[in-house]
Amino acid sequence: MPQQRIPAVFMRGGTSKGVFFLEQDVPPAGPERDAIMLRVVGSPDPYEKQIDGLGSATSSSSKVVIINKSDRADCDVDYLFGAPAVEHAVVDWSGNCGNLTSAVGPFAIRQGLVEAPRDGVAVVKIWQANIQKRIIAHVPMQDGEPQEEGDFVLDGVAFPAAEIVLEFMQPGGSGGSILPTGNVVDELDIPGFPGLPATLLNAGNPTIFVEAHRVGLAGTETQAQVNGNAELLEALEVIRAHCTVAMGLAETAEEATKLRPHTPKLCLVAGPQTYTAAGGKVVDADGIDVIARIMSMGKMHHAITGTGGVAVAVAAALPGTLVNRIVGDIGDRQVTMGHTAGTVTVGAQTTQVDGKWIVEKAVMSRSARRMMEGWVLVPSQL
């Protein structure tokens, strides 16, 4: 039987890439949609290569996005993100991809979902359907098209491009629950790690912060050093899974590992140190506030997730968190964090209302580019 042809655009957004669809072109949410998304990226793949799909066998590249015009008065488009696992037949729809958020505006403009000026900056109001939050993208325009070429350099991306500024509006948890346990630091009894201090945060995506030295790391390790250590990866997943339960996001650690591989993220933090990042860039201790290493889908991220950057900035602004203990009082300035591929700077505006911390917004810059547009082909029978 002939394969199905589904209109799609393959895009890079920030340090991630994924396949973008209009909602009208894919089945409704459910098993049929999940089966198509898995086949598009080439999952499940016991060989962990995704050779028979568009994924590249990493958490940064096994991603799908579904966009439609929004019915909300305060938004232009709805953005749904999916993270297909590489080895398993699971698509995790629980969280956002902050990096691919930068590609949503340009995609929506080109698909005619949003009116944009011929030149200048288009303001695209996005409803992030996974986490029920608003994001505002400022997309540069040139001659009626979203600008893609430029001189903005993003560590973790090989080539410069046009800068897209993203504002994550009130990125904290539902009902203002930034700290799901109510504590800035919890001491958790986790197998192999009794009394482990952790900051459990709900901002950007649910995120778990643990000091790198608690798991025997300096914080400056490369992606290869961590991802090549199966015993360490297993231990980090044990921590992530048990913290997921503590955050109320899963009933058991086993459920967290099986059904929620995308969120919450685990972030290992350390004080500023000079180190050599991927690609040979030297990160100077004097130029950063904190070191952050993000675990995503069971492996260390090759740079830092966009939502991870938001979470680090928010945690830095909240007195007493593990990140805040490292950075100290930063006032109103943005936080510069050292990650696997270099550095990134993110700002967060927080305020305290009736004893509860509220995040008004977080701001970061990314870039995006179309890499291919047309149709993606999947077998007719899945």
Side-chain angles (χ1 to χ4, degrees):
M1 296 181 66
Q3 295 191 79
Q4 302 179 59
R5 287 160 48 96
I6 306 172
V9 180
F10 195 38
M11 298 190 73
R12 177 187 64 78
T15 58
S16 293
K17 58 184 178 180
V19 188
F20 281 62
F21 302 92
L22 289 174
E23 186 182 49
Q24 67 193 38
D25 295 325
V26 298
E32 184 182 0
R33 175 187 282 183
D34 283 10
I36 288 176
M37 297 301 144
L38 286 163
R39 200 66 171 88
V40 163
V41 299
S43 292
D45 185 352
Y47 304 105
E48 302 181 33
K49 300 299 182 184
Q50 291 183 320
I51 292 297
D52 200 14
L54 293 178
S56 301
T58 71
S59 65
S60 302
S61 56
S62 183
K63 298 186 173 186
V64 294
V65 171
I66 299 172
I67 307 289
N68 67 289
K69 195 170 182 63
S70 183
D71 292 329
R72 295 175 58 91
D74 59 350
C75 289
D76 299 311
V77 294
D78 294 341
Y79 155 42
L80 183 69
F81 168 71
V86 175
E87 304 163 64
H88 307 292
V90 174
V91 183
D92 191 338
W93 302 97
S94 66
N96 180 29
C97 174
N99 276 300
L100 285 187
T101 301
S102 60
V104 172
F107 175 85
I109 292 169
R110 285 198 170 85
Q111 295 293 328
L113 302 180
V114 180
E115 292 186 8
R118 180 173 177 78
D119 296 290
V121 177
V123 177
V124 183
K125 294 172 288 185
I126 300 165
W127 179 249
Q128 214 303 312
N130 304 76
I131 60 173
Q132 303 283 290
K133 295 292 180 180
R134 290 177 68 241
I135 303 170
I136 299 175
H138 300 265
V139 182
M141 299 291 296
Q142 187 173 27
D143 297 330
E145 294 281 338
Q147 184 180 342
E148 293 176 310
E149 296 185 18
D151 57 7
F152 174 70
V153 175
L154 179 64
D155 286 343
V157 178
F159 306 104
E163 181 180 12
I164 296 173
V165 177
L166 301 172
E167 296 180 278
F168 295 79
M169 310 306 293
Q170 297 183 337
S174 59
S177 179
I178 297 173
L179 300 166
T181 66
N183 304 316
V184 290
V185 176
D186 288 278
E187 290 193 3
L188 303 172
D189 287 324
I190 296 173
F193 301 93
L196 179 70
T199 290
L200 309 179
L201 188 77
N202 194 353
N205 271 328
T207 305
I208 301 153
F209 291 97
V210 171
E211 295 159 309
H213 73 86
R214 299 283 182 176
V215 296
L217 300 176
T220 58
E221 285 77 11
T222 65
Q223 188 184 28
Q225 286 174 318
V226 173
N227 292 346
N229 187 333
E231 184 178 353
L232 173 61
L233 292 179
E234 183 177 351
L236 294 177
E237 175 55 26
V238 168
I239 292 173
R240 192 195 73 88
H242 280 81
C243 288
T244 302
V245 176
M247 296 177 78
L249 298 175
E251 291 293 329
T252 65
E254 292 74 18
E255 176 188 317
T257 294
K258 183 177 180 180
L259 300 180
R260 288 193 69 119
H262 176 59
T263 65
K265 303 295 189 190
L266 175 63
C267 183
L268 305 175
V269 294
Q273 304 164 61
T274 298
Y275 65 94
T276 301
K281 178 178 179 176
V282 175
V283 176
D284 195 308
D286 293 336
I288 57 176
D289 298 297
V290 62
I291 289 175
R293 295 289 195 264
I294 289 276
M295 304 299 299
S296 180
M297 302 291 281
K299 299 288 180 66
M300 179 174 282
H301 195 277
H302 80 283
I304 190 168
T305 61
T307 53
V310 170
V312 172
V314 171
L318 299 182
T321 68
L322 294 180
V323 180
N324 177 260
R325 292 177 185 180
I326 293 171
V327 304
D329 183 6
I330 60 170
D332 295 328
R333 71 177 177 84
Q334 294 185 320
V335 180
T336 299
M337 54 203 80
H339 56 75
T340 323
T343 65
V344 68
T345 300
V346 183
Q349 297 179 7
T350 60
T351 186
Q352 198 170 25
V353 179
D354 298 328
K356 291 185 177 181
W357 284 101
I358 305 295
V359 185
E360 296 174 355
K361 68 177 178 179
V363 182
M364 72 169 68
S365 289
R366 286 292 191 266
S367 61
R369 186 177 74 85
R370 290 168 302 161
M371 295 184 291
M372 187 169 65
E373 52 187 12
W375 297 268
V376 63
L377 303 177
V378 296
S380 296
Q381 300 296 325
L382 295 174

